[in-house]
Amino acid sequence: SNIWKNIKRTIFASSLLGLGYLGYGIYDERHPTTQIVPDAKKKTLVILGSGWGSISLLKKLDTTQYNVVLISPRNYFLFTPLLPSAPTGTVEHRSIIEPVHGIIRQKKGVVKYYEAEATAVDNVNKKVTLKSVNTPEEVEMTLDYDYIVMGVGAQTSTFGIPGVAENACFLKEIDDSKKLRQQLMDRIETAAFVSAEERKNLLHMVVVGGGPTGVEFAAELQDFVDDDLKRSCPEIAKDIRVTLVEALPNVLSSFSKQLVDYTQNSFATANIQLLTKTMVKNVTKDTIKAERSLEDGSKETFEIPYGLLVWATGNAVRPVTRSLMTNIEAQKQSRRGLIVNDFLVVEGAEGIWALGDCSATKFAPTAQVAAQEGAYLANLFNQMGRAHEIEDDITALQLKSESAQDSNTRKTIASEIESKTRKLRRAQTILPFEYTHQGSLAYIGSERAVADLSLWGNATPWAGSMTYWFWMSAYVSMCFNTRNRILVCFDWVKTKVFGRDISRE
Ligand code: FAD
Ligand code: NAI
């Protein structure tokens, strides 16, 4: 009974601690402190983008050290790992975003924000041109910078395949998710008006690209059909088919073989049709033309009638990144993005850093990499800021020493200068960026997930229902803040208890 008592006490204490932590998180978010307006003489640091890289940088940056300007067409941070769950309504859009204004209001030093798109970076004159995105009349302006961080991410690649841009939906931003939802509901509701043959094609949902985005969305879509549409509108649901098209022999090519096989078998059980070794070549408003590689090495072209097309074939360089690349000789050969050195400095330019999906590094374009790069750059800028402050202190001490009358004062100042110089050397010692891979996770439907975890330096593959619970807890803990964590948990509970909402909104 003593053991039982101790267990009860421990549970009670940890619940109190948990509640305390939650309460503090909420209080902290709702009560920002008074902010300092940085000295106008400080260097201007412009940060482009409000995604994983830039926001992670901003979170850890000492904003009193610089005049910080944030420019992004999106006035919120988006938690992309849960974006594939949004179009079907497993989670709500608002649960996975966090307003930029809330984030910058938490900083010690004021940060200026422009809801705008950077259109050009002039690396010679250190100027950035921006264009407002939501003002009644478009405003264009140019800002001077001392340092600029490119964190503009990437856009979905179409490889210039005809018809993709006009006919496909993408899954990169909240607007993509909303459009996808609309189109999905359009197909479902239009099905009542058409013939049986037409209905089969209309309800054929094709996802192109078997990377994690395509796999997770196909899985969510099939869950929506099985868990919700089959209950609420069985007549329509029975004709819905989900197909995933992938050019390579397997989906999830960055995961271990065991997990690839598990995913493919799981898709087969869930009735998701998998077309591997199939490259989409052309798209019209209702047909996909694809080319399949056969066993004997020959190729076969065939057509896939479809109703909804979701395109998820990876990343392409954004125009502002491309324009900067063409201005810098050392960047002209790059295809994937801005080439950076080990300190994330853009090669061939001065005062420009790049992180995340807009940079070309040896790392995969993931949130994990972008977030770690952001944290690294924050430390780097904090160190640089400290170094500037110490340099100013040393100059002031030198002046004081010159005007000092007696030798004792000069001696004291000299020892102060020596100590400051040691501090300066430490602040100027900047180590290169090092990435720590914590593993990869993907949801594969039917309450199952796959995980390639890095445990004690070894890749450990996990798959199944337990991994799904792990996937959920990992993503909740990774959410931006307490508010997002609570909202996402509510959404999941709501989905489990009431099912997903199948209304158009
Ligand atoms: P982003 O996060 O894309 O941010 C770019 C920012 O730049 C945005 O705020 C954008 O509005 C802004 N911007 C765009 N153009 C301009 C401009 N001209 N001027 C100024 N600002 C501009 N990775 C994982 O590690 N785990 C996952 O589970 C995972 N799931 C994903 C699911 C989906 C559906 C997608 C699409 C990606 C997923 N990723 C995941 C990848 C991850 O989201 C990206 O690698 C990550 O977002 C890259 O961060 P970033 O800061 O470089 O770019
Ligand atoms: P991706 O680049 O990982 O995969 C795209 C897939 O599309 C490739 O397998 C490619 O072979 C295929 N493809 C390209 N052109 C094609 C065509 N014409 N026809 C058929 N197939 C074609 O892209 P994705 O999934 O958008 O991911 C982008 C990045 O974001 C990756 O680094 C990924 O790791 C990361 N991400 C991670 C997630 C996770 O960890 N859960 C979730 C989503 C994205």
Side-chain angles (χ1 to χ4, degrees):
S1 76
N2 259 354
I3 297 176
W4 181 232
K5 253 189 208 162
N6 282 339
I7 290 176
K8 277 208 285 196
R9 270 194 207 131
T10 315
I11 292 174
F12 182 68
S14 19
S15 313
L16 271 186
L17 264 176
L19 275 177
Y21 175 72
L22 210 69
Y24 174 74
I26 296 168
Y27 178 86
D28 196 38
E29 279 157 30
R30 301 278 295 153
H31 296 83
T33 51
T34 319
Q35 290 182 300
I36 299 164
V37 180
D39 182 347
K41 282 194 276 186
K42 296 223 163 174
K43 304 249 184 228
T44 300
L45 167 61
V46 172
I47 302 172
L48 301 186
S50 55
W52 277 98
S54 302
I55 293 298
S56 154
L57 155 63
L58 200 58
K59 251 179 138 177
K60 292 218 157 79
L61 181 72
D62 178 355
T63 52
T64 59
Q65 304 268 22
Y66 299 92
N67 287 295
V68 184
V69 180
L70 179 69
I71 301 169
S72 176
R74 191 172 88 187
N75 79 346
Y76 53 84
F77 165 78
L78 167 63
F79 186 74
T80 47
L82 288 176
L83 188 61
S85 310
T88 55
T90 311
V91 296
E92 301 290 338
H93 293 127
R94 289 207 176 276
S95 308
I96 55 169
I97 64 175
E98 183 59 23
V100 152
H101 288 288
I103 300 170
I104 60 180
R105 189 62 189 84
Q106 294 285 333
K107 301 302 300 177
K108 250 178 150 179
V110 169
V111 175
K112 177 113 186 83
Y113 170 66
Y114 291 98
E115 191 184 39
E117 204 178 87
T119 50
V121 177
D122 175 349
N123 57 305
V124 178
N125 299 305
K126 294 198 164 184
K127 286 181 192 299
V128 54
T129 308
L130 49 131
K131 190 177 76 186
S132 67
V133 288
N134 284 320
T135 45
E137 270 165 43
E138 193 179 284
V139 182
E140 196 176 63
M141 59 198 277
T142 302
L143 298 178
D144 293 319
Y145 67 80
D146 294 295
Y147 306 133
I148 190 165
V149 177
M150 302 287 296
V152 296
Q155 59 191 34
T156 307
S157 63
T158 63
F159 300 107
I161 295 171
V164 175
E166 300 82 355
N167 299 296
C169 288
F170 301 100
L171 193 54
K172 194 106 191 134
E173 300 288 346
I174 287 287
D175 283 347
D176 296 332
S177 169
K178 287 183 178 163
K179 181 177 166 199
L180 189 41
R181 171 70 180 194
Q182 283 295 331
Q183 296 220 358
L184 177 61
M185 297 322 291
D186 280 352
R187 305 309 183 259
I188 290 169
E189 299 305 349
T190 310
F193 296 93
V194 299
S195 68
E197 187 54 30
E198 273 180 278
R199 165 192 274 236
K200 285 224 154 82
N201 295 338
L202 184 71
L203 295 177
H204 188 199
M205 319 286 179
V206 180
V207 181
V208 178
T213 306
V215 165
E216 290 193 326
F217 180 67
E220 286 281 354
L221 193 52
Q222 190 64 47
D223 281 358
F224 185 45
V225 175
D226 292 339
D227 301 345
D228 307 288
L229 293 174
K230 278 189 181 157
R231 280 182 212 184
S232 307
C233 43
E235 282 310 301
I236 294 169
K238 73 176 178 14
D239 287 332
I240 298 180
R241 284 175 301 142
V242 179
T243 297
L244 181 62
V245 182
E246 167 55 50
L248 298 175
N250 294 304
V251 297
L252 292 184
S253 56
S254 59
F255 283 66
S256 53
K257 167 95 179 58
Q258 212 176 322
L259 299 181
V260 169
D261 292 344
Y262 185 89
T263 306
Q264 297 191 162
N265 290 337
S266 184
F267 271 24
T269 316
N271 275 332
I272 300 175
Q273 191 192 7
L274 206 55
L275 299 178
T276 52
K277 296 189 192 166
T278 305
M279 170 90 85
V280 172
K281 294 284 187 185
N282 195 305
V283 174
T284 62
K285 83 173 194 342
D286 48 19
T287 311
I288 294 165
K289 201 176 259 172
E291 190 180 79
R292 183 165 33 213
S293 307
L294 302 175
E295 294 295 319
D296 61 5
S298 64
K299 293 199 173 5
E300 167 194 68
T301 306
F302 65 108
E303 288 191 346
I304 311 169
Y306 75 92
L308 179 74
L309 171 63
V310 182
W311 195 263
T313 59
N315 292 344
V317 176
R318 283 200 194 275
V320 63
T321 314
R322 171 79 54 215
S323 94
L324 178 60
M325 282 159 66
T326 52
N327 289 347
I328 304 170
E329 199 51 49
Q331 300 287 339
K332 285 193 174 149
Q333 299 306 318
S334 175
R335 299 250 158 277
R336 287 189 302 126
L338 290 158
I339 304 168
V340 293
N341 67 14
D342 290 346
F343 303 88
L344 308 185
V345 174
V346 170
E347 295 278 16
E350 209 188 290
I352 310 184
W353 284 258
L355 80 180
D357 288 5
C358 69
S359 62
T361 61
K362 58 184 177 214
F363 313 114
T366 64
Q368 226 185 120
V369 171
Q372 289 185 30
E373 289 178 337
Y376 167 81
L377 279 190
N379 278 332
L380 180 143
F381 283 114
N382 291 347
Q383 263 184 273
M384 277 170 44
R386 262 199 307 279
H388 283 309
E389 268 180 8
I390 301 170
E391 275 167 354
D392 288 349
D393 288 352
I394 293 176
T395 315
L397 284 169
Q398 278 162 346
L399 287 175
K400 205 169 148 193
S401 168
E402 277 162 24
S403 58
Q405 299 299 322
D406 64 299
S407 65
N408 268 354
T409 318
R410 275 205 295 275
K411 238 191 214 163
T412 321
I413 296 175
S415 91
E416 257 186 75
I417 291 180
E418 207 179 297
S419 136
K420 292 256 178 207
T421 310
R422 273 199 302 275
K423 277 191 191 153
L424 179 64
R425 242 178 265 133
R426 270 203 301 277
Q428 283 172 334
T429 313
I430 291 170
L431 299 174
F433 170 69
E434 268 180 41
Y435 171 63
T436 318
H437 186 61
Q438 273 148 7
S440 310
L441 288 164
Y443 179 62
I444 58 162
S446 316
E447 302 198 344
R448 282 185 227 168
V450 290
D452 247 337
L453 299 181
S454 270
L455 295 180
W456 304 283
N458 298 319
T460 319
W462 284 9
S465 306
M466 287 300 285
T467 314
Y468 167 64
W469 287 97
F470 175 73
W471 173 88
M472 290 211 290
S473 52
Y475 280 7
V476 164
S477 70
M478 277 163 63
C479 274
F480 188 82
N481 57 18
T482 315
R483 186 187 75 93
N484 289 141
R485 280 182 206 113
I486 293 176
L487 291 180
V488 165
C489 289
F490 273 155
D491 290 346
W492 281 335
V493 172
K494 200 172 71 182
T495 299
K496 293 255 177 311
V497 176
F498 301 109
R500 296 170 188 84
D501 189 325
I502 62 156
S503 58
R504 183 172 279 281
E505 286 313 310

